[in-house]
Amino acid sequence: MKYILIIIASFMFLACQKHHENDFIRVKDASFYLGDQPYVFMGANYWQGMNIGAPQSGDQKRLIRELDQLQEIGVTNLRVIAASEADSSMKFAIHPALQTAPGIYNDDLWQGLDFLLTEMSKRNMKAVMVLGNFWTWSGGFPQYLKWCNQGEVPYPQKGENTWEQFTDYTTQFYFNAEAQDMMNNHIRNVIHRKNSISGTIYKNDPTIMAWQLANEPRGYKEPHAYREWTQRTSAFIKQLDKNHLVCLGTEGNTSGKTAGINVLLDNDNPNIDYITMHIWAQNWGWFKPSDGERRFNETLKKVDQYWSDHVEAAHRLNKPIVLEEFGIARDSSSYSPSATTVWRNKYFDYLFNKIASSIENNEPVKGFNFWSYSGEARPPRPGQFWQKGDVLLGDPPHERQGWYGVYNTDTTTLNVIKAYRNRIK
């Protein structure tokens, strides 16, 4: 009888394991699957979710309302920060940060991330968890280097330093074993984190779709060192967590060779499950809202070419793509929340239609995360940089506030998104 009970218990355990595995998103033949069903999605960048969800320093009621708003327009996937590093002197960065010194954590922020994931689970939303940053707005590589006594960060925002000085500084991360160990320690901590609300260890949480190495990592003058770092780090994550997907978080082929990134070479890695692509028409000098119809149409041709180049790489690698960042400023490049969004709406509609068509034709692009959802928050000083104590928007602290964020009152933009709920689901 004892042996029969053991066999029954073993069978039940294996059955539960099988059901549990089916709760996680997988990649097969350049497509995402959830169980035996294809998974495609409409998503948003909501990087600030951890901070808003914090029980002491955040606003959990606001978080609940904004998640409900996103769910109502059809959003089922959020790209969020799962790491922020900032000592008290770090500029153009989120404060409070999750990690205030190497290995020293703000438990209020940990609880904020727990709360975010728990509320997302209630709404059947999936999270892409960003583990680092090339830019300063969540601390990222610059803060780790600062902690390793590599000198002060050469911030370029106010003209005191150049962007080349900043990128030269930040790419030192790929050679600094101590800084990488600090980041790996955080990766280990977040993957093994036990949710204080649900009791679920993060590596066992199907609410999480993927771990992302960093926000927009670039190689610049050191593409080989950069690529070696992505290979080491993705393998490290896979060793810790067999359940979740891993992706890079890069823009793709932006800036040609000067940015030191290559969509084909960078993603030709068995530990990278899918390709990420960003299309920043305004940041790359293709278009600004005062340019008019002719320039806009020229920009769409550039978008099409950029898209095609990345789809070709996806076919060669047999991996799906997510368009995880894109946006356009408000009309006349205004930072005022009251400014209209005619050009943004046109840009969104064009890209949403391309994504929906890709899904319908079984092409590699399977989802998007628009940049970004500001929800109920408004900049106290539109067009200026974020300061400690300011409300968190979808515009990160290293950029002028009110630039790209979508507000809960941007009815025309929200209606454009909602119009695709039935095509992308």
Side-chain angles (χ1 to χ4, degrees):
M1 183 66 179
K2 179 174 72 174
Y3 295 108
I4 295 173
L5 291 174
I6 291 173
I7 292 170
I8 292 172
S10 299
F11 177 80
M12 291 179 66
F13 174 78
L14 290 172
C16 288
Q17 283 290 100
K18 185 176 181 181
H19 174 73
H20 182 66
E21 290 172 359
N22 283 339
D23 290 339
F24 294 93
I25 296 173
R26 304 293 184 206
V27 166
K28 180 182 177 183
D29 296 330
S31 295
F32 297 114
Y33 282 87
L34 184 55
D36 60 355
Q37 296 297 312
Y39 175 76
V40 299
F41 63 88
M42 293 171 50
N45 281 273
Y46 191 63
W47 60 265
Q48 66 273 36
M50 172 174 65
N51 287 69
I52 301 173
Q56 296 179 34
S57 60
D59 186 344
Q60 293 185 335
K61 291 182 179 179
R62 172 191 161 190
L63 179 75
I64 289 171
R65 291 191 300 270
E66 291 183 351
L67 290 179
D68 287 342
Q69 293 158 15
L70 288 163
Q71 184 180 38
E72 196 275 330
I73 63 173
V75 166
T76 58
N77 187 291
L78 298 178
R79 181 171 177 252
V80 301
I81 285 290
S84 60
E85 308 79 26
D87 59 34
S88 60
S89 65
M90 190 66 171
K91 300 177 183 177
F92 305 104
I94 307 165
H95 293 275
L98 178 60
Q99 198 174 179
T100 55
I104 305 301
Y105 286 94
N106 180 334
D107 191 58
D108 184 46
L109 270 294
W110 270 133
Q111 293 179 52
L113 191 55
D114 294 343
F115 186 79
L116 172 66
L117 289 173
T118 302
E119 290 298 318
M120 288 179 63
S121 178
K122 293 177 183 178
R123 294 162 178 80
N124 293 317
M125 290 180 169
K126 299 293 183 182
V128 175
M129 305 278 273
V130 184
L131 298 171
N133 207 333
F134 189 86
W135 313 112
T136 59
W137 59 268
S138 67
F141 302 170
Q143 178 63 82
Y144 285 126
L145 289 167
K146 189 167 178 276
W147 281 335
C148 292
N149 300 313
Q150 296 303 302
E152 291 299 312
V153 179
Y155 305 102
Q157 278 81 358
K158 293 189 175 181
E160 298 165 359
N161 303 285
T162 66
W163 280 101
E164 185 176 14
Q165 287 175 302
F166 173 78
T167 57
D168 285 349
Y169 178 90
T170 304
T171 50
Q172 293 180 65
F173 176 80
Y174 305 129
F175 299 94
N176 194 304
E178 183 184 5
Q180 292 177 37
D181 285 344
M182 288 178 184
M183 182 173 175
N184 287 346
N185 183 60
H186 174 69
I187 291 172
R188 187 183 296 108
N189 287 338
V190 73
I191 287 175
H192 290 154
R193 167 77 180 174
K194 183 177 181 179
N195 191 306
S196 60
I197 301 169
S198 68
T200 303
I201 296 173
Y202 280 16
K203 71 175 184 177
N204 296 328
D205 190 349
T207 307
I208 297 170
M209 170 180 166
W211 301 110
Q212 185 165 104
L213 268 62
N215 174 67
E216 296 191 334
R218 295 179 175 186
Y220 280 101
K221 300 172 185 176
E222 306 295 344
H224 298 296
Y226 152 73
R227 198 167 296 120
E228 289 175 352
W229 170 77
T230 66
Q231 292 166 354
R232 288 193 304 271
T233 307
S234 58
F236 177 67
I237 295 170
K238 287 290 189 178
Q239 289 171 0
L240 297 175
D241 181 357
K242 306 295 185 184
N243 290 323
H244 293 104
L245 304 178
V246 175
C247 61
L248 290 175
T250 66
E251 301 119 297
N253 286 334
T254 182
S255 302
K257 296 180 180 179
T258 61
I261 48 181
N262 181 298
V263 65
L264 187 62
L265 297 177
D266 297 346
N267 290 279
D268 190 10
N269 175 350
N271 293 313
I272 298 300
D273 296 294
Y274 67 94
I275 298 169
T276 57
M277 173 173 63
H278 303 180
I279 302 181
W280 281 109
Q282 190 167 348
N283 298 45
W284 299 344
W286 295 355
F287 178 81
K288 57 182 182 293
S290 58
D291 283 341
E293 194 75 32
R294 183 183 63 81
R295 185 75 182 274
F296 184 72
N297 290 332
E298 292 172 354
T299 296
L300 297 184
K301 292 178 182 178
K302 294 179 180 180
V303 167
D304 289 344
Q305 184 60 58
Y306 195 81
W307 179 287
S308 297
D309 291 344
H310 291 73
V311 167
E312 180 182 350
H315 281 304
R316 291 178 64 179
L317 297 173
N318 198 33
K319 295 181 180 182
I321 303 178
V322 172
L323 176 59
E324 65 171 21
E325 283 193 23
F326 57 94
I328 287 285
R330 308 179 83 82
D331 293 339
S332 301
S333 296
S334 172
Y335 295 97
S336 170
S338 63
T340 56
T341 56
V342 171
W343 291 109
R344 175 185 296 171
N345 298 347
K346 290 182 177 183
Y347 188 60
F348 274 22
D349 186 60
Y350 187 81
L351 286 172
F352 295 159
N353 185 63
K354 286 183 72 71
I355 295 160
S357 298
S358 173
I359 292 167
E360 291 160 356
N361 296 319
N362 199 28
E363 288 291 308
V365 182
K366 302 297 184 182
F368 71 81
N369 299 87
F370 70 83
W371 188 275
S372 58
Y373 196 59
S374 291
E376 301 174 3
R378 301 292 184 273
R381 299 172 307 282
Q384 297 185 28
F385 290 110
W386 187 88
Q387 297 179 11
K388 290 181 182 179
D390 287 350
V391 66
L392 288 173
L393 309 176
D395 301 301
H398 78 311
E399 292 180 345
R400 298 183 185 278
Q401 300 293 281
W403 193 13
Y404 285 126
V406 175
Y407 302 116
N408 63 323
T409 51
D410 284 339
T411 306
T412 55
T413 302
L414 299 177
N415 284 340
V416 171
I417 300 168
K418 285 196 291 186
Y420 285 87
R421 285 181 299 186
N422 291 330
R423 290 184 65 187
I424 305 174
K425 67 177 182 179

